[in-house]
Amino acid sequence: MNTYKEEQILKQDFGNKAPFRVPEGYFEDFAERMMAQLPAQETKVVSMRPWWHRYRASMFAAACVCAVVFSIGVYLGSSDSRQASLASAPVESVDNTMDEMADYVMMDNEAIYASLSDNQ
């Protein structure tokens, strides 16, 4: 209620007219006057290349890394198939292979038993 009285007092003292005015025709040529006041700038040429041209070298490096990882996976996968073929081989050939591996690592029966008992 108090603000209503204040508004009434302001209207009595100053009236309803707006205290600020815009000159006639001010906005008709406003854009041209504003552009005339701005300093002239050189236009910039922006090259429109695809985004991958910027990162071409890193993308080639990533492709090479993927190729190497894939090749290693194929190689290790083929060695797993050799191990699987050993599992399906006859017992005599597995025994011979185990003997060859024991000779290669220079382990005798006592060392094999000791390593097996340590693991349990």
Side-chain angles (χ1 to χ4, degrees):
M1 195 56 114
N2 192 16
T3 57
Y4 179 73
K5 288 181 183 179
E6 290 174 2
E7 286 182 30
Q8 291 299 322
I9 293 170
L10 288 173
K11 283 184 182 181
Q12 287 175 357
D13 291 344
F14 298 107
N16 282 339
K17 62 182 183 174
F20 303 104
R21 293 182 188 209
V22 176
E24 292 294 325
Y26 180 77
F27 287 110
E28 290 176 9
D29 60 342
F30 178 75
E32 289 111 23
R33 285 186 289 130
M34 181 59 77
M35 292 304 288
Q37 291 178 358
L38 292 175
Q41 294 180 351
E42 294 181 25
T43 57
K44 294 181 181 178
V45 177
V46 178
S47 64
M48 300 296 290
R49 295 186 318 183
W51 64 270
W52 60 272
H53 276 272
R54 193 175 320 149
Y55 304 109
R56 187 174 17 191
S58 59
M59 290 180 65
F60 287 148
C64 290
V65 168
C66 289
V68 167
V69 168
F70 179 74
S71 299
I72 289 173
V74 168
Y75 175 74
L76 292 178
S78 66
S79 68
D80 287 342
S81 66
R82 278 188 281 155
Q83 290 174 357
S85 67
L86 276 180
S88 63
V91 175
E92 294 93 22
S93 67
V94 172
D95 285 339
N96 290 339
T97 305
M98 292 297 287
D99 289 338
E100 289 174 13
M101 287 191 314
D103 289 341
Y104 180 74
V105 295
M106 296 182 198
M107 293 178 76
D108 58 351
N109 287 342
E110 291 178 21
I112 294 173
Y113 295 143
S115 68
L116 289 175
S117 64
D118 288 343
N119 288 336
Q120 292 178 356

